[in-house]
Amino acid sequence: MNVKATLSPDDLARACADAMWKEDDASKGLGMEIVEVGPGRATLTMTVKPEMVNGARIAHGGFIFALADSTFAFACNSHNNRAVAAQGDITFLRPGKLGDKLVATAREISRSGRSGIYDVRVAVGDTVIAEFRGHSRAIAGAWLPDTDIKR
């Protein structure tokens, strides 16, 4: 029996995030945590560990990018259409430091057809340390194939 579940957009976004998280060994392995997910938005955190600092003893940019990229992924997959990154750019504004709790917040700027644009702000407290812009591309499939969105 194939019964479609009807979910609100917020519940659908959370269910998609849960489905993605089960398979996301990279984000889990880096100690990321999902704080909030909704339609076209997501917030993830990650604490800078000793193995994440570079020779200047600041957070390696690759780890900051990884947090922004993961947050972008959860935001652009929140509509139950599988999406991947087509492009991502980051601007580092200030350094992250050992022990900092980084908070990345993504928001959808535009979504049309198979393409989306998302901005991600990475901060430590009230201090913004990086700005990321990601372009997504929808691919085949859904996270929850037997689900409709309640409008």
Side-chain angles (χ1 to χ4, degrees):
M1 184 160 113
N2 186 8
V3 178
K4 286 193 171 209
T6 302
L7 300 173
S8 72
D10 283 327
D11 290 340
L12 180 68
R14 186 67 223 191
C16 290
D18 291 344
M20 284 179 61
W21 188 254
K22 287 179 188 174
E23 301 299 324
D24 191 346
D25 295 333
S27 296
K28 288 187 280 192
L30 291 173
M32 294 180 199
E33 296 179 3
I34 300 171
V35 174
E36 186 266 341
V37 175
R41 67 184 191 280
T43 301
L44 274 68
T45 63
M46 180 180 75
T47 300
V48 179
K49 302 174 200 167
E51 60 273 17
M52 296 176 172
V53 297
N54 60 22
R57 306 310 296 160
I58 59 175
H60 188 290
F63 291 106
I64 297 169
F65 187 98
L67 174 63
D69 185 47
S70 288
T71 307
F72 158 57
F74 282 96
C76 70
N77 279 278
S78 64
H79 301 287
N80 199 28
N81 300 109
R82 287 184 183 251
V84 295
Q87 178 180 338
D89 293 306
I90 195 163
T91 301
F92 299 106
L93 304 170
R94 292 181 176 75
K97 299 178 182 79
L98 179 63
D100 280 351
K101 182 176 183 177
L102 308 180
V103 179
T105 304
R107 66 187 178 95
E108 186 174 271
I109 302 302
S110 173
R111 188 169 70 100
S112 179
R114 294 180 52 208
S115 299
I117 300 173
Y118 295 78
D119 283 346
V120 183
R121 174 168 283 168
V122 182
V124 177
D126 292 332
T127 303
V128 177
I129 66 165
E131 294 279 358
F132 171 100
R133 174 159 276 191
H135 296 248
S136 67
R137 188 74 172 162
I139 60 173
W143 290 103
L144 309 166
D146 292 333
T147 304
D148 285 330
I149 301 172
K150 184 177 12 172
R151 307 231 186 249

